[in-house]
């Protein structure tokens, strides 16, 4: 199974219980939308929300977006029916399922096996991918195993809200505003980004609740980007453009990367290992960094 490459600069969360917001999300500029059945939907509304999501997936124009459904975790009474109903109702119009609160690889394999059975039963031609939230302390301890749990897995998301609850983190320290001398999420983000890269999948940063504070959002998004994450969630339309901007290489960076690559190729053709462009050395190691930028430019059509 080869994993599809998908843009995930911005993953927009939309409550599955709101037909209005589902329609708004489908028409948004986000690369990826996940229709939520978990935290954004009250227990009394969860069963009905499945039908609303199925209808939205089957009838709305989602453009080129990745269409994802976020399901309840494996310890709940909803998880198995979330999978069966959503895949049965809209499996052909669904790209990925996002699993909440896994503790270990076994939880992800449960979803993987359910998908395999349903795809056979329903004769679905396209395989449905998996994304998982790392939002329990056990999940961070097991993140390497989780990242290699199934070839369906495409993305690890750092869910810092639930994660803070799981570890007992003092949320006043988030963003460097409390007593903690540094970035309280640095270790978690670093570890998740590292596990994702080792497994050849994406890492994405989770939500920023204060949607009226673009500076705070940008600062968190840039921290994630610096560590190799490829995107961040939006919980409100106001955050979509911010994420897309942070996680897109800017035009001057892309142009310089193209120049470096050309210079290296020319040097290589002459039997040289290194060249210089505008006073900057380029060798085979810098080519890797350049490729990271150019791969993104290709994926995002820049
Ligand atoms: N997806 C799609 N549309 C959204 C949206 C979202 N996540 N959040 C807000 N909108 C829409 C609103 O419906 C509104 O539409 P309108 O202009 O046509 O009336 C517009 O964007 C502006 O919204 P606003 O009035 O500023 O906010 P609100 O009070 O309607 O909603 C929240 C605020 C927080 C309730 C809402 O943003 C939300 O539910 N976010 C998602 C929460 C979530 O998914 N949590 C779980 C993951 S952490
Ligand atoms: Mg949560």
């Amino acid at each position: 199974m080869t994993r599809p490459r998908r843009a995930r600069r911005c993953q927009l969360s939309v409550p599955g219980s709101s037909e209005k917001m589902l329609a708004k999300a489908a028409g948004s500029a986000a690369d990826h939308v996940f229709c939520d059945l978990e935290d954004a939907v009250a227990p009394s509304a969860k069963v009905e929300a499945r039908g609303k999501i199925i209808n939205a997936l089957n009838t709305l124009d989602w453009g080129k977006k990745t269409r994802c459904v976020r399901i309840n975790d494996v310890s709940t009474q909803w998880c198995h029916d979330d999978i069966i109903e959503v895949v049965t109702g809209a499996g052909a119009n669904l790209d990925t399922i996002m699993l909440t609160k896994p503790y270990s690889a076994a939880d992800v394999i449960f979803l993987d096996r359910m998908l395999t059975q349903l795809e056979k039963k329903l004769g679905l031609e396209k395989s449905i991918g998996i994304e998982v939230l790392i939002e329990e302390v056990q999940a961070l301890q097991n993140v390497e195993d989780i990242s290699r749990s199934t070839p369906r897995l495409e993305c690890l998301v750092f869910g810092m809200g639930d994660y803070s609850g799981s570890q007992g983190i003092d949320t006043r320290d988030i963003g460097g505003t409390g007593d903690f001398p540094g970035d309280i999420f640095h270790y978690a983000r670093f570890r998740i980004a590292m596990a994702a890269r080792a497994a050849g999948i994406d890492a994405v940063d989770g939500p920023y609740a204060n949607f009226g504070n673009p500076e705070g959002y940008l600062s968190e998004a840039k921290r994630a980007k610096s560590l190799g994450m490829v995107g961040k969630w939006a919980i409100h339309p106001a955050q979509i453009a911010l994420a897309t901007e942070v996680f897109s290489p800017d035009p001057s960076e892309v142009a310089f990367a193209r120049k470096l690559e050309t210079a290296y190729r020319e040097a290589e053709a002459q039997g040289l290992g290194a060249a210089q462009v505008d006073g900057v050395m380029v060798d085979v190691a810098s080519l890797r960094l350049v490729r990271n930028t150019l791969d993104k430019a290709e994926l995002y059509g820049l």
Side-chain angles (χ1 to χ4, degrees):
M1 197 190 288
T2 51
R3 292 186 174 99
R5 288 190 74 207
R6 305 186 205 274
R8 292 188 164 87
R9 290 169 295 184
C10 177
Q11 298 190 318
L12 175 66
S13 175
V14 51
S17 50
S18 170
E19 284 158 321
K20 181 188 165 202
M21 288 198 212
L22 286 164
K24 195 128 188 150
S28 76
D31 289 332
H32 175 294
V33 170
F34 64 96
C35 308
D36 192 22
L37 287 167
E38 205 227 14
D39 289 350
V41 180
S44 60
K46 284 190 194 284
V47 170
E48 206 192 336
R50 291 181 193 136
K52 290 180 180 171
I53 290 174
I54 291 166
N55 188 47
L57 290 172
N58 290 339
T59 62
L60 297 175
D61 180 2
W62 295 85
K64 286 194 197 138
K65 285 181 192 62
T66 295
R67 301 152 301 177
C68 172
V69 175
R70 183 169 85 149
I71 60 169
N72 292 284
D73 76 76
V74 298
S75 73
T76 66
Q77 65 269 47
W78 298 294
C79 183
H80 68 286
D81 280 333
D82 286 348
I83 303 167
I84 294 168
E85 289 192 26
V86 167
V87 175
T88 305
N93 294 318
L94 177 65
D95 300 303
T96 63
I97 288 190
M98 188 186 289
L99 181 65
T100 50
K101 303 183 178 69
Y103 276 39
S104 67
D107 293 340
V108 186
I109 291 167
F110 168 79
L111 172 56
D112 178 72
R113 300 256 156 92
M114 290 278 288
L115 289 174
T116 300
Q117 293 177 30
L118 285 163
E119 284 167 358
K120 279 189 188 159
K121 179 181 162 189
L122 301 165
L124 292 176
E125 281 164 20
K126 200 163 47 82
S127 164
I128 295 170
I130 295 179
E131 316 194 29
V132 299
L133 273 147
I134 304 300
E135 54 181 344
E136 297 289 338
V137 287
Q138 293 88 342
L140 193 59
Q141 286 182 311
N142 294 324
V143 70
E144 288 83 15
D145 280 351
I146 289 174
S147 69
R148 291 186 293 257
S149 56
T150 152
R152 281 185 202 274
L153 190 65
E154 299 181 17
C155 179
L156 305 177
V157 178
F158 177 43
M160 61 283 283
D162 269 296
Y163 186 83
S164 296
S166 178
Q167 182 164 322
I169 282 174
D170 186 335
T171 52
R172 288 170 297 186
D173 285 319
I174 297 172
T177 51
D179 294 329
F180 188 77
D183 179 358
I184 195 106
F185 292 142
H186 177 74
Y187 174 78
R189 283 190 178 124
F190 195 101
R191 196 159 165 197
I192 290 167
M194 193 168 67
R197 286 291 282 199
I201 61 177
D202 287 339
V204 164
D205 204 46
Y208 187 79
N210 185 353
F211 60 82
N213 179 3
E215 294 79 22
Y217 182 91
L218 286 170
S219 149
E220 291 293 299
K222 285 173 186 167
R223 289 172 190 202
K225 189 214 154 197
S226 296
L227 295 174
M229 291 190 164
V230 299
K232 183 166 175 66
W233 281 9
I235 52 100
H236 185 278
Q239 296 176 331
I240 298 172
L242 302 175
T244 308
E245 166 78 22
V246 169
F247 291 96
S248 301
D250 64 57
S252 61
E253 193 187 344
V254 176
F256 192 57
R258 290 204 175 108
K259 228 168 142 179
L260 290 178
E261 189 177 51
T262 306
Y264 178 77
R265 293 294 171 218
E266 283 168 10
E268 194 184 30
Q270 294 165 29
L272 302 169
Q276 68 110 354
V277 176
D278 305 343
V280 177
M281 186 272 289
V282 52
D283 65 1
V284 74
S286 21
L287 198 65
R288 261 177 106 167
L289 300 164
V290 161
R291 265 325 318 164
N292 281 340
T293 302
L294 295 181
D295 284 350
K296 284 182 193 167
E298 278 159 28
L299 181 61
Y300 309 143
L302 302 173

